[in-house]
């Protein structure tokens, strides 16, 4: 990958997860100029899915969607001079690289393919005290990608790298950044964090979506400068919107405190400055960087057992009594061979004097887990259905009985970065070892910044928090984060003093007994909360109604608080 060091780099994204819009790659390649097209295909749950694929066939373990996308678009990318970088290699980046070479030969294209490996620690799990997982993958950084690009690769595929690395690597190669150009690297990390999740940066899943014509949002682009600053934008004529609000929302997605650690740099998210730079253009600048921590995060997945569920529909009067009856009956039926875990949830979706049957109905959900698929399978669902003619009036369920399905358990671990190989396999097959960072700094929280001056006392009105604040939430293993931001300085002065940890626990009772941490990000007029344990053993364990906490922020915004009239 070449280019004058001062020339900007236009990096687009076409995937935020394995299953994202298939046509996005072509849309990005035909919608306007790009230098690099990236894709993020991996998540904690995806690694589990790929691990199960690899159990069935050792030659699998990568994102097959990416291969199908390139079958349609590899020639287009080559013609347009666009380099492609993606983490679609999953558990088998070498296998994906070989498949891409076969594809290029079949299509008659002169395309050079490289890959990055070393993240898969499964063969060394015992040695590294990681237990006996199904998958064990360290989060690598950007320098292997940069090495492949400097060697002239047209396509680079990786295994588990940090989500932003697919953006940082091309920028580092293009501008010739050194390992200690921390501010530039941190700026690229921030830009990468914004665009790696696809259309969430262009109006998708946005709290104030009613203020924009979202339609089908285009995918985001970061125009990265030599100093690491960037402009977040999208192709002209595509749907959605790029505003300070949409970029703020994505910056708050799945983070913790002001220090955002990575294998190459710790980015200071409390230094980020945002400014509208024209229609659908947001300038992101001022990001400071620090040396990375000495350890790399490792994503561990194991098979946890088997799960099953049934949802009883309770209609009309006496909802609580109906729920109590069927619960007592089912628990009695299961006493002879009870599942290891039984969880009941009653969703009061019913309305009094409803004009439709659905609006008159509540949902009683029962989920079970057990190591034995027979106990969690037909023994459970059969017992539930046997109550059909012997329980509450109006008995029915939302789906027929089913067999148990396996579920996974996610945990994270940390290993010394020097213990993890990081290898760039260049287009000619040369293997280049990428050294771990030599300058490191233990991660610590930033001291709490000073609170802004509170708003003067005045009349207030009981109203939903979301009238004056946006929110974005997500999952980090068994924990969840919810970032909340204000859109004016006055609203920030109120929010910073009002939305305390205690207030969050009051507004979201599910968090009341859990560890909750609050972080202030004044530059973004935001507070970020991390709730440990809300998601149990991670998304694949399905521990709650919203297993990835994607709507936790919207629940919070719907809660009523006393809001100063001046803000309304």
């Amino acid at each position: 990958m070449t280019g004058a060091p001062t020339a900007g780099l236009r990096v687009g994204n076409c995937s935020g997860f394995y299953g994202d819009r298939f046509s996005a790659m072509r849309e990005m390649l035909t919608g306007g100029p790009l230098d690099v097209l990236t894709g993020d295909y991996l998540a904690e749950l995806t690694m589990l899915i790929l691990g199960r694929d690899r159990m069935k066939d050792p030659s699998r373990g990568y994102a097959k969607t990416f291969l199908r996308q390139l079958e349609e678009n590899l020639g287009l990318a080559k013609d347009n001079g666009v380099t492609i970088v993606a983490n679609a290699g999953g558990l088998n980046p070498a296998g994906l690289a070989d498949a891409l070479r076969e594809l290029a030969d079949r299509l008659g294209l002169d395309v050079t393919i490289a890959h990055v490996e070393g993240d898969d620690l499964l063969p060394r799990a015992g040695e590294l005290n990681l237990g006996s997982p199904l998958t064990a993958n360290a989060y690598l950084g950007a320098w292997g990608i940069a090495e492949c690009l400097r060697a002239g690769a047209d396509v680079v595929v990786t295994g588990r790298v940090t989500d932003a690395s697919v953006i940082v690597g091309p920028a580092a190669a293009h501008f010739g950044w050194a390992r200690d150009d921390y501010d530039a690297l941190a700026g690229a990390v921030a830009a990468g964090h914004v665009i790696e999740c696809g259309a969430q940066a262009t109006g998708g899943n946005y709290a104030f979506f009613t203020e924009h014509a979202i339609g089908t949002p285009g995918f985001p682009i970061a125009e990265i400068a030599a100093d690491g600053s960037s402009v977040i934008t999208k192709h002209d004529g595509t749907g959605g919107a790029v505003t300070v609000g949409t970029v703020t929302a994505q910056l708050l997605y799945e983070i913790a405190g002001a220090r955002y650690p990575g294998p190459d740099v710790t980015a200071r998210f409390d230094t980020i400055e945002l400014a509208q730079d024209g229609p659908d253009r947001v300038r992101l600048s001022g990001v400071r960087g620090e040396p990375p921590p000495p350890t790399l995060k490792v994503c561990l997945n194991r098979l946890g057992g088997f799960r099953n569920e049934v949802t009883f529909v309770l209609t009309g009067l006496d909802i609580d009594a109906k729920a109590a009856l069927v619960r007592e009956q089912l628990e009695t039926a299961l006493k002879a061979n009870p599942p290891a875990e039984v969880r009941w949830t009653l969703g009061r979706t019913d309305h009094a004097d409803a004009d439709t049957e659905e609006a008159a109905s509540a949902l009683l959900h029962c989920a079970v887990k057990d190591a034995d698929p027979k106990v969690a399978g037909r023994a459970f669902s059969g017992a539930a259905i046997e109550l059909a003619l012997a329980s509450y009036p109006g008995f029915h369920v939302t789906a027929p009985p089913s067999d148990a399905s396996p579920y996974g358990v996610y945990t994270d671990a940390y290993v010394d970065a020097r213990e993890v190989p990081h290898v760039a396999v260049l287009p000619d097959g040369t293997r280049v070892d990428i050294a771990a960072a030599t300058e490191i700094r233990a991660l610590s929280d930033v001291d709490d910044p000073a609170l802004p001056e509170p708003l003067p006392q005045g009349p207030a009105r009981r109203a939903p928090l979301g009238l004056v604040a946006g929110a974005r939430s997500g999952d980090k293993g068994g924990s969840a984060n919810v970032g909340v931001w204000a859109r004016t300085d006055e609203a920030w002065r109120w929010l910073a003093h009002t939305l305390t940890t205690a207030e969050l626990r009051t507004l979201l009772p599910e968090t009341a007994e859990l560890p909750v941490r609050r972080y202030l990000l004044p530059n973004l007029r935001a507070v970020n909360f991390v709730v440990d344990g809300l998601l149990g053993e991670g998304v694949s364990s399905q521990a709650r109604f919203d297993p990835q906490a994607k709507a936790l922020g919207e629940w919070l915004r719907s809660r009523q608080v006393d809001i100063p009239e001046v803000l309304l």
Side-chain angles (χ1 to χ4, degrees):
M1 186 166 185
T2 60
T6 56
L9 188 70
R10 195 168 161 92
V11 182
N13 168 277
C14 69
S15 177
F17 69 101
Y18 191 13
D20 210 343
R21 191 191 314 164
F22 186 87
S23 62
M25 183 176 287
R26 177 166 289 273
E27 293 167 14
M28 291 301 287
L29 290 170
T30 59
L34 282 181
D35 299 308
V36 181
L37 183 60
T38 65
D40 177 18
Y41 292 79
L42 302 183
E44 292 152 359
L45 177 61
T46 312
M47 302 303 283
L48 175 67
I49 294 169
L50 295 178
R52 292 174 61 187
D53 283 349
R54 186 171 63 176
M55 287 176 66
K56 299 172 187 173
D57 183 350
S59 69
R60 293 165 65 178
Y62 56 78
K64 297 182 290 294
T65 297
F66 177 75
L67 191 62
R68 290 194 292 114
Q69 286 175 307
L70 283 193
E71 186 162 10
E72 295 183 9
N73 295 293
L74 186 56
L76 182 60
K78 179 69 174 178
D79 291 344
N80 291 349
V82 177
T83 302
I84 295 177
V85 181
N87 62 11
L91 301 176
N92 189 8
L96 178 56
D98 287 341
L100 288 170
R101 293 186 187 98
E102 293 174 6
L103 174 64
D105 289 344
R106 179 159 53 84
L107 297 176
L109 296 172
D110 181 18
V111 176
T112 55
I113 313 293
H115 76 273
V116 177
E117 63 184 36
D119 61 293
D120 191 349
L121 302 181
L122 189 63
R124 299 170 57 209
E127 169 197 341
L128 296 171
N129 297 315
L130 300 176
S132 302
L134 175 66
T135 68
N137 294 82
Y139 286 78
L140 301 180
W143 294 108
I145 295 169
E147 188 73 26
C148 293
L149 294 173
R150 285 193 291 261
D154 297 311
V155 180
V156 181
V157 291
T158 76
R160 179 72 274 186
V161 296
T162 67
D163 298 342
S165 288
V166 296
I167 291 93
V168 179
H174 180 74
F175 295 115
W177 291 337
R179 297 285 293 258
D180 60 355
D181 282 331
Y182 296 126
D183 290 349
L185 291 167
V189 165
H193 183 74
V194 171
I195 73 169
E196 59 85 9
C197 239
Q200 280 196 164
T202 57
N205 301 352
Y206 181 52
F208 300 106
F209 73 99
T210 58
E211 298 177 1
H212 303 282
I214 299 298
T216 302
F219 274 63
I221 297 165
E223 298 174 351
I224 302 175
D227 64 355
S229 64
S230 62
V231 171
I232 308 300
T233 186
K234 61 188 183 68
H235 283 321
D236 291 342
T238 56
V242 180
T243 69
V244 168
T246 67
V247 174
T248 297
Q250 185 54 27
L251 284 169
L252 294 173
Y253 184 59
E254 295 181 346
I255 67 167
R259 285 191 168 100
Y260 185 78
D264 305 317
V265 63
T266 293
R268 289 287 298 266
F269 272 34
D270 56 338
T271 63
I272 295 173
E273 298 175 8
L274 299 178
Q276 200 72 39
D277 198 46
D280 292 321
R281 294 178 64 82
V282 172
R283 182 165 298 280
L284 193 162
S285 61
V287 192
R288 302 298 302 275
E290 299 171 348
T295 57
L296 298 185
K297 183 178 177 180
V298 182
C299 169
L300 303 173
N301 280 294
R302 62 179 173 84
L303 294 178
F306 296 85
R307 70 181 306 277
N308 203 350
E309 59 190 21
V310 63
T311 301
F312 301 96
V313 183
L314 315 174
T315 305
L317 304 177
D318 305 317
I319 296 295
D320 289 331
K322 288 172 179 173
L325 173 60
V326 74
R327 178 170 178 167
E328 177 188 6
Q329 289 176 317
L330 184 55
E331 289 179 345
T332 299
L334 296 174
K335 273 185 178 178
N337 201 5
E341 181 181 328
V342 181
R343 181 168 50 87
W344 293 88
T345 308
L346 176 59
R348 292 301 301 262
T349 50
D350 54 303
H351 299 267
D353 194 24
D355 57 359
T356 67
E357 183 177 332
E358 186 173 5
S361 299
L363 300 177
L364 178 63
H365 188 71
C366 181
V368 300
K369 293 178 181 176
D370 199 88
D372 187 340
K374 294 179 181 177
V375 172
R378 294 287 174 170
F380 162 71
S381 56
I385 296 307
E386 286 175 0
L387 299 174
L389 305 182
S391 190
Y392 61 88
F395 181 105
H396 65 287
V397 296
T398 58
S402 64
D403 289 326
S405 58
Y407 72 92
V409 172
Y410 166 85
T411 54
D412 56 36
Y414 293 85
V415 299
D416 189 320
R418 296 169 297 182
E419 293 289 328
V420 179
H422 185 173
V423 181
V425 184
L426 307 185
D428 65 359
T430 301
R431 299 176 64 85
V432 178
D433 290 325
I434 307 299
T438 55
E439 185 181 10
I440 54 177
R441 184 180 301 175
L443 189 66
S444 62
D445 286 338
V446 172
D447 290 338
D448 284 341
L451 288 169
E453 286 293 318
L455 279 184
Q457 290 291 328
R461 187 197 328 157
R462 198 79 175 161
L465 174 65
L467 294 184
V468 295
R472 172 68 61 77
S473 58
D475 62 303
K476 277 295 184 185
S479 300
N481 95 291
V482 54
V484 185
W485 79 94
R487 300 200 285 177
T488 66
D489 290 339
E490 291 76 14
W492 165 239
R493 291 167 61 188
W494 171 80
L495 183 72
H497 287 273
T498 302
L499 196 55
T500 62
T501 298
E503 181 68 4
L504 182 87
R505 287 192 168 109
T506 298
L507 295 174
L508 304 183
E510 287 184 41
T511 71
E513 303 301 321
L514 297 172
V516 179
R517 288 164 284 150
R518 184 179 95 143
Y519 302 96
L520 292 177
L521 296 167
N523 278 17
L524 301 178
R525 300 195 193 102
V527 292
N528 185 52
F529 296 91
V530 177
V531 185
D532 291 331
L534 183 68
L535 306 181
E537 295 175 304
V539 53
S540 56
S541 72
Q542 299 283 307
R544 67 188 295 272
F545 170 69
D546 173 17
Q548 290 181 282
K550 299 301 186 186
L552 188 67
E554 287 302 291
W555 178 26
L556 178 62
R557 293 182 68 237
S558 74
R559 298 289 281 163
Q560 302 233 338
V561 293
D562 292 324
I563 301 176
E565 290 276 7
V566 68
L567 301 181
L568 297 170

